[in-house]
């Protein structure tokens, strides 16, 4: 055994009593045997003598009791940790009833005392015996082991997380703990303390490992049991049950199951938020509600069931906390923070409780709630009473004062107060939203108050802000304080709305600065998301969610770009392009055409709806109207082409416009010409290959009058096909009439240059409705997969028995050069009315969805379901995307190939075990790039895969490809090739190895 440290320098910080207890511990340990096991590379202590075990355990307990936080890092203590763990592990594994109870309790004491960094080296050894003893007939032993295991998992590092989960999963710990909880309900588990420790442990497991949630969610009996326990139990048990519920609600599927339990369950939780319960119970109830209401769909469902008690609990809680803010304690502060956080999610009108709250820690929530209410108020919103209007004016004034104080302090002192900025960022956004509120009363009041506060030195601050933003726009990075940058951009946007300062902005190169900032924001790979600069919005459970299908936030993850576009749009709204064109053309670093191209890039790609709306709005000042998109660009090439057209607009001057009903019926149904009854005969013979007998040969035509403007109609139909057009002001006047008569509201808004309203969904170009019955009348081709039969499949539109879909040549040919060439050729397939697609049915459904919408349907069940699938099932889910990658190579569909790659790569990131299978499949098909992508993934774990025998079934050329990628990645990271090949990294833990060999 190790001898005690004799160096007096090492013993200086511990007292004599601790030193004596350490000596006694070493003497006790010396009574056992310590052997080295080469297979695991560790020393192990053991002793069969029960008296020696007792002596050692009591010596450990006494030594731990003598320690304090100051002495934990002492070398003498650190050197004893391994010996103490070794002795306790042996004692726990022996399961001697005489010593097991005290050994388990001392283990709890040890894991609680040690910091997480020290504990990590022993967690893998400790977890197994603790799990084994969870069901010990000695209840006190089981309780202590549950407590110790809970502490170990709570302190677990990311390095050991996967390994511990494998142990927990293989041991069936989740099923075991859930059985104990059901036993408590049935009366077989007597001790409430046992239930509490087991429930707490299960909650911790569910919180940390999303794959553990599925088995609990599948256990309907356990869900019923938890509801019964919660309805009858005391406060301490209610807290634990709600923690379990919260851990389950981190899963989107789990939240749905809990919400489906209905009104009684949700009202019971809302009731626990009231002041009849302790702060601890209320806090857990509030956290649970936040977990349940993570997206709009679940939020609305909860409000339907318990809207009134929910808002009553929020408002009464704010009132209660507001009245005692001067003497509020830590518990009540945490309660108030959770109330505000839930209020921000539900967006209930909670002003009554806000005006009395002066706590700095929750001001961010208050301003966010106020700003949200302002931006979503109706145009005719008015306060019910004069008192309410006074309260609102006070809140607006407070927000404006906090906002102006932030910009004045920065401008005058030129020094950033990070804490102050974090508080004022939310106030700044609240002011911005109030100024642009749809409610005229709120907007005018906000502008009036802000103008009054800025009266003394507003222009001076504005020039300082413009100077700062101008310098930042030319830098390669945003700098350290993104919060201040965000506030400055919000300030400029607010200034842009005030008539007094607009001329100053334009004369001070404000337009140039804003356009340069737009370019700067587009050029960065790390957009500034508001969550990154608003710490009150951070919730620790956000990182552990799964299975939630979130709709994209209107603002998106690039706040700085949004504010830049917003301010630029406001200046154009007041002054128009002509007044600013000289500034843009003469002083910008790049031409007008580049700006237009970048704005089109924003409005046509996967940016947030808000960014796309403002980009489209600004484009209208350059004569571009509508919403650029890829599918419109493709389909638009068929406009006014006679090929496959089935309707015509005929003008008396002899001009004829040929159109396709499948496009018109979805994009602008009021323009769809009526069918001519004489030709409306249906020939139900879809199995024939004779074009003369195929489908619904219906001709449609509209004869225009001499008064109809042919040019305007042609331009309008161009918008219907493309979704985007360029037009002069004179033509725009005529287009307004057509857009209004056809009720195209979004297009009409662009033509009238109406300012975007916060939260408006961006219009999508989606022709998928025409794939079903709605487009059957215009179908001119049947698309079949290689799947000959599908169980239970029938077509409701025709008698063709082979699984198929009714499609439209104009859509298919617009997307594929291969198909276009095929149907122009003279081969037999070009004359067939049935198109054979060499993929399975599921892949063909995905393909058709993409052809008609330019989007892949979200069919991969990521989250708990995916994590709990075996490799074979995961491969089956990916099969359609692999088939489409192969088809895309043949049909020259580059876009869908890239989209499918992205899906496959996302799956590989979460399931590395798929790589071997996918590599073999893709190597047999002409998918060279996919082979390279998969090899790159496998290269990151090359040593482990090589040693585990994963490469035995692979072709030698594929193994060499993986090895080459492994070497290349190492060299890109600055490593030498010998390190890659000689196994220098094999003894490194998993996380550093992944770090070293991940691409730069």
């Amino acid at each position: 055994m190790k001898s005690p440290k004799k160096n007096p320098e090492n013993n200086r910080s511990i007292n004599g009593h601790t030193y004596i207890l350490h000596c006694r511990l070493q003497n006790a340990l010396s009574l056992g045997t310590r052997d080295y096991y080469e297979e695991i590379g560790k020393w192990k202590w053991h002793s069969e003598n029960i008296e020696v075990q007792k002596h050692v355990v009591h010596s450990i307990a006494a030594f731990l009791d003598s320690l304090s936080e100051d002495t934990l890092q002492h070398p003498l203590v650190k050197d004893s940790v391994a010996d103490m763990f070794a002795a306790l592990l042996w004692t726990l594994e022996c399961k001697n009833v005489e010593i097991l109870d005290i050994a388990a309790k001392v283990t709890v004491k040890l894991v609680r005392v040690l910091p997480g960094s020290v504990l990590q080296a022993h967690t893998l050894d400790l977890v197994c015996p603790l799990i084994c003893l969870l069901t010990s007939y000695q209840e006190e032993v089981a309780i202590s082991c549950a407590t110790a295991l809970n502490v170990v998992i709570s302190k677990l590092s990311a390095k050991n997380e996967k390994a511990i989960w494998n142990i927990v999963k293989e041991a069936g710990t989740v099923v075991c703990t859930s059985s104990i909880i059901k036993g408590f309900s049935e009366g077989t588990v007597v001790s409430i303390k046992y239930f509490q420790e087991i429930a707490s442990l299960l909650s911790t497991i569910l919180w940390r490992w999303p794959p553990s949630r599925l088995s609990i969610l599948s256990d309907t009996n356990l869900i019923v049991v938890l509801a019964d326990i919660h309805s009858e139990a005391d406060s301490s048990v209610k807290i634990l049950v709600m923690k379990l519920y919260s851990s389950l609600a981190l899963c989107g599927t789990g939240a749905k199951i809990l919400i489906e339990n209905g009104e009684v369950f949700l009202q019971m939780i809302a009731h626990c938020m009231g002041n009849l319960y302790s702060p601890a119970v209320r806090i857990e109830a509030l956290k649970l509600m936040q977990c349940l209401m993570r997206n709009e769909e679940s939020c609305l469902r909860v409000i339907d069931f318990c809207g009134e008690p929910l808002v009553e609990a929020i408002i009464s809680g704010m009132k209660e906390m507001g009245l005692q803010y001067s003497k509020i304690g830590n518990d009540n502060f945490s309660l108030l923070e959770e109330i505000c956080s839930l209020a921000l999610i539900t967006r209930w009108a909670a002003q009554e409780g806000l005006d009395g709250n002066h706590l700095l820690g929750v001001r961010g929530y208050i301003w966010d709630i106020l700003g949200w209410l302002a931006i979503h108020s109706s145009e005719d919103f008015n306060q019910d009473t004069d008192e309410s209007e006074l309260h609102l004016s006070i809140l607006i004034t407070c927000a404006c004062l906090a906002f102006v104080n932030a910009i004045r302090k920065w401008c005058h002192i030129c020094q950033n107060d990070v804490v102050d900025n974090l508080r004022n960022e939310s106030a700044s956004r609240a002011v911005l939203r109030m100024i642009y509120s749809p409610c005229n009363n709120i907007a005018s009041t906000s502008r009036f108050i802000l103008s009054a506060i800025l009266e003394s030195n507003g222009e001076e601050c504005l020039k300082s802000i413009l100077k700062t933003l101008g310098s930042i726009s030319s830098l390669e990075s945003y700098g350290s304080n993104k919060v201040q940058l965000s506030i400055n951009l919000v300030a400029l946007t607010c200034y842009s709305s005030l008539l007094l300062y607009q001329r100053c902005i334009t004369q001070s190169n404000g337009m140039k600065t804003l356009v340069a900032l737009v370019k700067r924001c587009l050029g960065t790979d790390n957009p500034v998301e508001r969550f990154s600069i608003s710490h009150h919005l951070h919730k620790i459970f956000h990182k552990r969610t799964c299975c939630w299908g979130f709709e994209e936030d209107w603002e998106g993850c690039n706040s700085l770009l949004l504010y830049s576009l917003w301010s630029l749009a406001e200046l154009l709204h007041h002054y128009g392009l002509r007044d600013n064109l000289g500034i843009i053309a003469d002083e910008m670093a790049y031409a007008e055409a580049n700006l237009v191209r970048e704005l089109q890039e924003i409005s046509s790609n996967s940016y947030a709806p808000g960014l796309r709306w403002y980009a489209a709005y600004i484009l209208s000042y350059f004569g571009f109207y509508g919403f650029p998109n890829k599918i419109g660009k493709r389909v638009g090439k068929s406009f006014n082409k006679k090929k496959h057209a089935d309707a015509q607009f005929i003008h008396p001057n002899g001009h004829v416009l040929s159109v396709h009903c499948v496009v018109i019926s979805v994009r602008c149904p009021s323009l769809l010409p009526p069918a001519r009854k004489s030709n409306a005969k249906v020939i139900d013979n879809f199995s024939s290959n004779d074009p003369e007998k195929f489908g619904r040969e219906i001709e449609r035509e509209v004869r225009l009058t001499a008064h109809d403007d042919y040019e305007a109609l042609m331009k309008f139909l161009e918008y219907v096909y493309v979704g985007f057009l360029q037009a002069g002001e004179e033509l725009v006047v005529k287009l307004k009439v057509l857009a209004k008569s056809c009720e195209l509201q979004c297009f009409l808004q662009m033509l009238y240059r109406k300012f975007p309203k916060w939260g408006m969904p961006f219009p999508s170009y989606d022709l998928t409705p025409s794939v079903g019955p709605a487009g059957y009348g215009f179908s001119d081709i049947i698309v079949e997969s290689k799947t000959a039969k599908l169980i239970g499949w029938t077509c409701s539109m025709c008698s063709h028995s082979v699984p198929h879909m009714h499609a439209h040549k104009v859509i298919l040919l617009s997307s594929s050069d291969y198909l276009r060439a095929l149907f122009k050729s003279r081969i037999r397939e070009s004359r067939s009315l049935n198109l054979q697609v060499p993929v399975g049915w599921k892949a063909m459904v995905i393909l058709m969805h993409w052809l008609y919408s330019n989007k892949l349907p979200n069919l991969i069940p990521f989250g708990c379901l995916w994590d709990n699938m075996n490799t074979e099932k995961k491969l089956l889910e990916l099969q359609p995307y692999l088939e489409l990658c192969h088809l895309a190579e043949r049909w020259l569909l580059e876009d869908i190939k890239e989209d499918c790659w992205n899906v496959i790569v996302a799956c590989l990131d979460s399931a590395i075990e798929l790589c071997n299978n996918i590599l073999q499949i893709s190597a047999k098909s002409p998918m060279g790039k996919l082979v390279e992508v998969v090899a790159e993934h496998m290269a990151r774990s090359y040593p482990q895969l090589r040693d585990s025998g994963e490469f035995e079934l692979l072709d030698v050329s594929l193994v060499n490809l993986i090895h080459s990628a492994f070497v290349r990645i190492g060299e890109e990271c600055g490593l030498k090739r010998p390190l890659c090949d000689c196994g220098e990294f094999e003894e490194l833990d998993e996380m550093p190895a992944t770090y070293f060999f991940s691409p730069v």
Side-chain angles (χ1 to χ4, degrees):
M1 302 300 299
K2 293 182 181 179
S3 60
K5 300 290 182 180
K6 301 297 184 179
N7 190 343
E9 292 294 323
N10 290 338
N11 301 332
R12 181 174 295 175
S13 61
I14 62 172
N15 57 42
H17 178 63
T18 301
Y19 183 70
I20 291 172
L21 292 174
H22 177 263
C23 292
R24 291 178 180 175
L25 171 61
Q26 294 297 321
N27 291 333
L29 288 167
S30 65
L31 298 175
T33 305
R34 192 167 179 263
D35 296 323
Y36 183 77
Y37 292 79
E38 292 186 1
E39 60 272 17
I40 60 174
K42 289 185 177 181
W43 290 88
K44 281 194 172 185
W45 183 93
H46 57 90
S47 173
E48 301 292 341
N49 190 313
I50 182 63
E51 295 303 323
V52 171
Q53 293 178 18
K54 286 181 181 180
H55 182 40
V56 170
V57 170
H58 285 296
S59 298
I60 294 173
F63 179 63
L64 291 175
D65 287 337
S66 71
L67 300 179
S68 64
E69 289 189 14
D70 296 335
T71 57
L72 285 176
Q73 298 298 329
H74 193 276
L76 181 144
V77 177
K78 287 183 176 182
D79 289 345
S80 304
V81 169
D83 292 334
M84 288 189 288
F85 267 110
L88 289 173
L89 284 172
W90 172 260
T91 307
L92 292 174
E93 290 170 352
C94 286
K95 298 182 181 179
N96 194 308
V97 294
E98 295 183 39
I99 190 61
L100 196 55
D101 183 19
I102 182 62
K105 290 178 179 177
V106 173
T107 303
V108 173
K109 186 180 297 186
L110 179 61
V111 296
R112 279 178 171 168
V113 165
L114 294 179
S117 57
V118 178
L119 189 59
Q120 300 312 308
H122 309 281
T123 52
L124 291 175
D125 297 324
L126 187 60
V127 166
C128 285
L130 292 177
I131 291 176
C132 291
L133 292 170
L134 288 178
T135 54
S136 172
Y137 69 90
Q138 290 180 270
E139 195 172 90
E140 287 299 321
V141 173
I143 291 172
S144 296
C145 288
T147 305
L149 193 56
N150 204 350
V151 174
V152 168
I153 295 175
S154 299
K155 292 183 177 183
L156 196 60
S157 68
K159 168 186 171 183
N160 290 328
E161 192 165 350
K162 184 177 180 180
I164 296 298
W165 165 240
N166 288 333
I167 295 173
V168 170
K169 180 173 62 174
E170 291 172 7
T173 311
V174 174
V175 175
C176 170
T177 51
S178 62
S179 299
I180 295 172
I181 291 173
K182 285 187 283 188
F184 177 75
S185 174
E186 296 164 358
T188 56
V189 176
V190 179
S191 169
I192 190 172
K193 186 177 180 183
Y194 188 21
F195 165 80
Q196 288 175 322
E197 292 302 329
I198 292 294
S200 179
L201 172 61
L202 179 57
S203 175
T204 301
I205 292 173
L206 295 174
W207 181 86
R208 183 170 284 274
W209 292 294
S212 65
R213 298 165 191 161
L214 188 62
S215 60
I216 298 296
L217 295 172
S218 304
D219 191 342
T220 53
N221 291 333
L222 179 62
I223 301 298
V224 173
V225 164
L226 290 176
D228 292 340
I229 294 174
H230 184 273
S231 61
E232 299 178 2
D234 60 19
S235 293
S236 61
V237 174
K238 281 184 182 293
I239 291 172
L240 286 169
V241 172
M242 283 190 288
K243 283 184 176 180
L244 274 172
Y245 281 142
S246 295
S247 297
L248 290 172
L250 293 177
C251 171
T253 305
K256 287 182 180 179
I257 292 174
L258 294 176
I259 292 172
E260 285 169 1
N261 284 338
E263 185 175 356
V264 174
F265 167 74
L266 292 171
Q267 291 203 353
M268 179 172 63
I269 303 303
H271 180 66
C272 290
M273 293 161 51
N275 56 15
L276 294 178
Y277 289 92
S278 66
V281 174
R282 297 170 72 182
I283 287 171
E284 290 306 323
L286 288 161
K287 287 180 177 179
L288 173 55
M289 275 296 185
Q290 292 173 52
C291 291
L292 291 172
M293 302 168 75
R294 289 274 289 151
N295 65 7
E296 184 177 0
E297 179 185 356
S298 61
C299 187
L300 293 175
R301 294 275 318 267
V302 171
I303 290 173
D304 284 341
F305 282 125
C306 63
E308 289 187 12
L310 186 62
V311 69
E312 182 180 347
I314 291 172
I315 293 178
S316 62
M318 286 186 168
K319 282 183 176 180
E320 177 190 349
M321 295 298 104
L323 293 174
Q324 55 176 334
Y325 72 89
S326 60
K327 53 183 179 180
I328 196 167
N330 290 334
D331 289 344
N332 283 338
F333 179 80
S334 298
L335 174 60
L336 178 57
E337 188 176 21
E338 297 303 335
I339 290 173
C340 290
S341 185
L342 182 59
L344 183 58
I345 293 175
T346 56
R347 271 75 173 190
W348 285 100
Q351 291 103 314
E352 293 182 41
L354 299 181
D355 59 325
N357 197 318
H358 301 277
L359 290 169
L360 298 179
V362 295
R363 282 188 183 175
Y365 294 106
I366 295 173
W367 299 137
D368 282 342
I369 295 169
L370 180 62
W372 198 96
L373 293 171
I375 205 71
H376 288 88
S377 297
S378 60
E379 293 183 17
D380 56 352
F381 170 76
N382 286 304
Q383 289 78 25
D384 295 332
T385 63
D386 292 339
E387 183 180 359
S388 296
E389 186 169 0
L390 175 61
H391 287 170
L392 183 59
S393 296
I394 292 173
L395 285 170
I396 292 173
T397 303
C398 290
C400 289
L401 285 170
F403 169 48
V404 174
N405 179 64
I407 59 178
R408 280 179 176 170
K409 182 176 180 181
W410 181 85
C411 292
H412 290 168
I413 305 176
C414 294
Q415 183 177 354
N416 294 324
D417 184 339
V418 176
V419 176
D420 197 41
N421 285 343
L422 290 173
R423 288 200 300 263
N424 292 328
E425 185 272 339
S426 294
S428 305
R429 277 173 54 92
V431 172
L432 179 66
R433 290 182 167 198
M434 290 186 294
I435 285 174
Y436 289 92
S437 172
C439 174
N440 294 325
N441 182 29
I442 294 176
S444 58
T445 301
S446 301
R447 287 192 177 99
F448 175 79
I449 292 174
L450 182 60
S451 298
I453 296 174
L454 288 171
E455 190 172 355
S456 60
N457 61 345
E459 187 169 327
E460 178 187 348
C461 288
L462 173 59
K463 290 180 179 178
S464 180
I465 288 169
L466 286 168
K467 182 179 179 181
T468 301
L469 292 177
S471 63
I472 290 175
S473 66
S474 62
L475 300 176
E476 293 184 359
S477 65
Y478 293 123
S480 58
N481 196 345
K482 296 176 183 178
V483 181
Q484 185 61 53
L485 175 57
S486 176
I487 293 174
N488 281 343
L489 265 175
V490 170
L492 182 56
T493 310
C494 292
Y495 269 112
S496 300
S497 69
L498 304 178
L499 187 62
L500 181 63
Y501 300 100
Q502 288 166 357
R503 181 60 62 182
C504 176
I505 294 174
T506 56
Q507 291 176 348
S508 303
N509 295 334
M511 291 287 288
K512 172 187 174 182
T513 297
L514 287 170
V515 175
L517 280 170
V518 169
K519 182 181 179 183
R520 173 72 188 81
C521 293
L522 289 173
T524 181
D525 294 330
N526 298 304
V528 178
E529 189 173 10
R530 188 174 180 240
F531 278 92
S532 66
I533 58 177
S534 301
H535 297 289
H536 66 283
L537 299 177
H538 292 183
K539 291 290 181 179
I540 190 169
F541 58 75
H542 288 172
K543 296 180 180 179
R544 297 288 175 175
T545 56
C546 65
C547 305
W548 282 96
F550 291 103
E551 296 181 0
E552 186 176 22
D553 184 66
W554 198 79
E555 179 178 337
C557 63
N558 202 332
S559 298
L560 301 184
L561 179 58
L562 176 72
Y563 300 145
S564 301
L565 292 173
W566 194 338
S567 185
L568 185 60
E570 179 63 34
L571 292 175
L572 291 173
H573 177 70
H574 283 280
Y575 285 98
L577 182 62
R578 294 304 107 193
D579 292 342
N580 292 289
L581 188 58
I583 297 173
I584 292 179
D586 297 338
E587 299 188 20
M588 276 191 351
Y590 54 102
E592 177 182 320
N594 288 340
L595 174 62
V596 169
R597 185 172 62 251
E598 288 177 352
L599 291 172
Q600 289 178 356
E601 184 76 11
I602 295 172
S603 58
S604 64
N605 281 318
S606 56
Y607 285 88
L611 293 171
R612 300 177 73 183
W613 264 115
Y614 279 109
Y617 176 83
I618 295 171
L619 281 170
S620 68
Y621 286 92
F622 292 90
F624 295 94
Y625 300 88
F627 315 95
N629 60 90
K630 291 183 179 180
I631 186 172
K633 189 176 181 180
R634 293 200 313 257
V635 175
K637 295 177 182 178
S638 304
F639 172 53
N640 203 20
K641 301 289 178 61
K642 292 183 180 180
K643 190 72 172 176
H644 308 301
D646 50 3
Q648 294 178 331
F649 290 85
I650 304 172
H651 198 273
N653 63 10
H655 291 298
V656 177
L657 282 171
S658 299
V659 297
H660 305 81
C661 291
V662 63
V663 178
I664 304 297
S665 64
V666 176
R667 297 282 296 155
C668 188
S670 58
L671 270 183
L672 188 66
R676 297 197 317 206
K677 294 183 180 179
S678 60
N679 291 334
K681 183 180 179 181
V682 177
I683 302 174
D684 190 3
N685 193 12
F686 284 92
S687 61
S688 172
N689 282 334
D690 186 355
E692 300 298 325
K693 297 181 179 180
F694 175 73
R696 300 173 182 266
E697 295 292 334
I698 301 176
E699 293 182 3
R700 299 167 184 255
E701 63 180 35
V702 174
R703 293 194 174 273
L704 306 173
T705 68
H707 298 289
D708 292 317
D709 192 307
Y710 175 80
E711 183 187 1
L713 177 62
M714 186 172 181
K715 204 69 177 175
F716 185 76
L717 284 169
E718 180 187 337
Y719 167 78
V720 172
Y721 268 76
V722 181
F724 186 68
L725 58 82
Q726 184 176 12
E729 294 294 337
E730 188 175 327
L731 185 56
V732 167
V733 175
K734 300 174 184 178
L735 291 173
K736 288 177 182 177
V737 177
L738 287 170
K740 188 173 184 179
S741 63
C742 294
E743 298 182 348
L744 298 183
Q745 297 302 324
C746 289
F747 185 41
L748 198 62
Q749 175 164 334
M750 284 290 96
L751 293 172
Y752 277 101
R753 290 177 181 151
K754 290 185 178 179
F755 216 66
K757 183 180 178 181
W758 188 278
M760 287 180 63
F762 196 80
S764 63
Y765 193 122
D766 188 357
L767 299 177
T768 52
S770 62
V771 181
Y776 171 65
F778 320 121
S779 172
D780 54 4
I781 190 168
I782 285 179
V783 181
E784 299 175 355
S785 73
K786 66 181 182 181
T787 305
K789 291 183 179 180
L790 283 175
I791 297 175
W793 186 91
T794 57
C795 181
S796 61
M797 296 171 283
C798 75
S799 59
H800 194 43
S801 60
V802 177
H804 65 273
M805 300 177 77
H806 294 275
H808 312 85
K809 287 184 179 178
V810 64
I811 306 299
L812 302 184
L813 303 188
S814 68
S815 305
S816 170
D817 292 335
Y818 169 82
L819 291 180
R820 197 154 43 246
L822 173 69
F823 282 100
K824 282 184 179 179
S825 67
R826 295 181 178 272
I827 61 176
R828 180 185 175 187
E829 286 81 354
S830 67
R831 299 189 300 275
S832 174
L833 299 175
N834 292 44
L835 176 63
Q836 303 288 336
V837 184
V839 295
W841 174 255
K842 190 174 181 180
M844 195 184 80
V845 171
I846 296 172
L847 171 66
M848 295 300 290
H849 189 282
W850 184 89
L851 291 173
Y852 281 75
S853 67
N854 205 68
K855 294 180 181 177
L856 290 180
N858 186 17
L859 299 180
I860 300 291
F862 287 114
C864 292
L865 293 175
W866 175 260
D867 292 333
N868 283 276
M869 286 181 187
N870 58 34
T871 302
E872 184 179 354
K873 177 64 175 173
K874 288 178 179 177
L875 197 60
L876 191 63
E877 292 289 338
L878 274 181
Q879 183 65 31
Y881 298 94
L882 292 167
E883 292 180 39
L884 287 179
C885 280
H886 186 191
L887 181 70
E889 294 277 357
R890 180 177 174 185
W891 282 17
L892 307 178
L893 296 169
E894 289 299 321
D895 288 343
I896 192 172
K897 182 169 66 175
E898 184 176 349
D899 290 346
C900 289
W901 278 343
N902 292 335
V903 172
I904 295 169
V905 170
C907 292
L908 294 182
D909 287 337
S910 60
I912 192 69
E913 68 274 11
L914 291 173
C915 286
N916 207 333
N917 303 83
I918 293 177
L919 187 62
Q920 294 181 65
I921 294 172
S922 55
K924 297 175 183 177
S925 307
M927 295 185 287
K929 188 171 180 180
L930 183 58
V931 172
E932 293 177 6
V933 170
V934 179
E936 195 89 1
H937 268 73
M938 298 182 75
R940 301 175 190 176
S941 305
Y942 176 79
Q944 298 94 318
L945 294 172
R946 177 196 60 199
D947 296 342
S948 64
E950 286 290 324
F951 295 147
E952 291 179 3
L953 298 177
L954 290 181
D955 186 86
V956 175
S957 61
L958 294 177
V959 177
N960 291 336
L961 181 65
I962 298 169
H963 181 262
S964 298
F966 172 69
V967 173
R968 183 177 66 256
I969 292 171
E971 291 175 343
E972 289 174 356
C973 294
L975 302 176
K976 301 294 185 181
R977 179 172 302 202
L979 290 179
C980 301
D981 294 329
C982 69
E984 285 295 321
F985 295 113
E986 290 181 8
E987 294 186 2
L988 290 181
D989 56 67
E990 183 179 353
M991 179 169 287
T994 304
Y995 171 78
F996 282 125
F997 296 114
S998 59
V1000 177

